[in-house]
Amino acid sequence: MPEHFHLNTPLLESTSMSKLVGTSVYLKMESSQPSGSFKIRGIGHLCQQVARQSKGVVCSSGGNAGMAAAYVARKMGLPATIVIPSSSPPLVVQRLQDQGATVKIAGKVWDDANAEALRLTETEGLTYVPPFDHPLLWEGHASVITEVAACLGPSVKPGAVLVSVGGGGLLCGVVQGLKQVGWADVPIVAMETVGADCFNAALKAGKVVTLDDITSEAKCLGAKTVCRKAFEYSQSSDVTIISELVTDQQAFHAVQTFLDEERVLVEMACGAALAAIYSGVIRRLQDEGRLPAPLGPLLVIVCGGSSINMEQLTNLRHKLYT
């Protein structure tokens, strides 16, 4: 049994992005995880704790949590059932099946798929693997920051961390990781797309709210309700979280630019965090006095994503620009 299932991913410096913001930009390349995204950190950690004696695991997912659960289950020799919404591309179904998972399609959005996964937990006696709302997931995701701290060494501290928010699991892990390494005062810029903005909506309402629908094409950010812990962190005085939105077009533009400049293809969900740099959000936050100028090095969590290929990219371009 491996100690953990995730890799210590590369930390790369991007010269082109650094030039845009006038400070060093470090990319934590979670896109190179074996399951294609950061999700394997938390899901691997959770499965090791709760699934060893299991009959099998069930996970509801727009794609990436499912990929991580399927990969980990295969490595642990457990059957995996992944329940995905009908909005997931065929590519996701194929990749999950390639990992040996049984795929079930239920409902239109993640919340529908999740209801079915919980039903299977009851009826089939499977171990439920939540995609974002569990303390063991956050504990696993925190390792992304401890690796960065070990890599940068004690003399370098980020000026801010840029992260995409879907259900809020990665955000919770980043907060915990920053606290663990003594960087609790480093601000987090939490990026979402308009139409998949459950975290931003909660901050505006002053409480956790549920979106009526997911209208963004960044389907992997598509939770209608953010996890309560992420909202609690946003309200606490010892953490600075700045919530920002970009359009689907800005996230897509970021994906394309990142592919051109860094030669890595990521999902639009990941494009939301990249758009903080490419669409000038960081510059604006500095102008508004919400981030310091000059700014220390920026750390971007390149969360990755397995639901993207060139065909998907072409389809998205067509949807967003015609």
Side-chain angles (χ1 to χ4, degrees):
M1 176 73 86
E3 197 175 287
H4 43 64
F5 296 98
H6 65 264
L7 305 176
N8 184 334
T9 50
L11 185 69
L12 308 176
E13 192 174 353
S14 167
T15 44
S16 54
M17 289 173 114
S18 302
K19 206 165 79 179
L20 270 180
V21 283
T23 186
S24 298
V25 174
Y26 290 102
L27 306 171
K28 185 60 168 156
M29 299 299 290
E30 290 300 286
S31 48
S32 42
Q33 291 292 3
S35 67
S37 84
F38 75 94
K39 292 275 189 186
I40 194 167
R41 291 178 183 274
I43 285 174
H45 183 60
L46 178 122
C47 287
Q48 281 194 315
Q49 307 293 319
V50 302
R52 281 171 193 255
Q53 310 305 315
S54 167
K55 280 167 58 178
V57 300
V58 61
C59 179
S60 55
S61 171
N64 290 313
M67 278 300 293
Y71 175 87
V72 169
R74 181 170 66 80
K75 290 289 184 192
M76 290 178 78
L78 293 171
T81 302
I82 312 299
V83 189
I84 61 173
S86 59
S87 57
S88 308
L91 164 75
V92 172
V93 178
Q94 187 56 57
R95 287 189 173 165
L96 287 167
Q97 287 171 340
D98 289 346
Q99 287 289 351
T102 301
V103 180
K104 293 200 165 182
I105 294 170
K108 190 166 98 73
V109 293
W110 171 79
D111 303 70
D112 307 331
N114 194 46
E116 173 63 12
L118 290 169
R119 192 188 68 77
L120 290 172
T121 307
E122 293 297 313
T123 56
E124 313 278 316
L126 299 173
T127 302
Y128 174 67
V129 176
F132 55 82
D133 197 356
H134 197 286
L136 287 173
L137 295 178
W138 313 329
E139 211 172 86
H141 296 333
S143 62
V144 75
I145 299 294
T146 49
E147 284 176 15
V148 171
C151 196
L152 290 178
S155 58
V156 182
K157 180 179 179 179
V161 180
L162 278 51
V163 64
S164 294
V165 178
L170 178 57
L171 177 62
C172 291
V174 165
V175 171
Q176 292 179 12
L178 289 172
K179 288 181 171 181
Q180 279 169 29
V181 302
W183 288 349
D185 58 336
V186 172
I188 300 167
V189 182
M191 299 297 300
E192 293 171 288
T193 50
V194 176
D197 47 0
C198 62
F199 180 61
N200 188 270
L203 266 58
K204 282 183 180 148
K207 61 178 197 279
V208 173
V209 293
T210 299
L211 301 176
D212 294 335
D213 195 12
I214 301 298
T215 54
S216 167
E217 287 300 326
K219 299 300 181 198
C220 290
L221 294 182
K224 291 201 287 188
T225 316
V226 77
C227 70
R228 182 162 296 282
K229 188 69 174 172
F231 176 72
E232 284 168 6
Y233 277 140
S234 75
Q235 304 300 296
S236 103
S237 57
D238 59 345
V239 185
T240 304
I241 300 175
I242 301 168
S243 169
E244 288 289 327
L245 301 181
V246 288
T247 63
D248 274 1
Q249 284 80 4
Q250 286 172 316
F252 182 81
H253 169 72
V255 167
Q256 282 194 299
T257 311
F258 195 69
L259 179 59
D260 285 343
E261 293 186 349
E262 311 296 336
R263 302 164 310 285
V264 176
L265 179 60
V266 295
E267 273 177 23
M268 269 180 59
C270 181
L274 301 171
I277 290 176
Y278 291 134
S279 293
V281 175
I282 297 298
R283 286 282 196 199
R284 175 171 56 74
L285 290 172
Q286 288 179 291
D287 293 344
E288 291 169 0
R290 295 165 71 197
L291 281 178
L295 188 62
L298 290 176
L299 170 62
V300 186
I301 311 293
V302 183
C303 51
S306 52
S307 322
I308 187 85
N309 59 11
M310 289 310 287
E311 187 187 351
Q312 224 10 57
L313 198 66
T314 309
N315 293 345
L316 282 167
R317 186 185 295 117
H318 189 70
K319 270 186 184 169
L320 293 171
Y321 295 101
T322 52

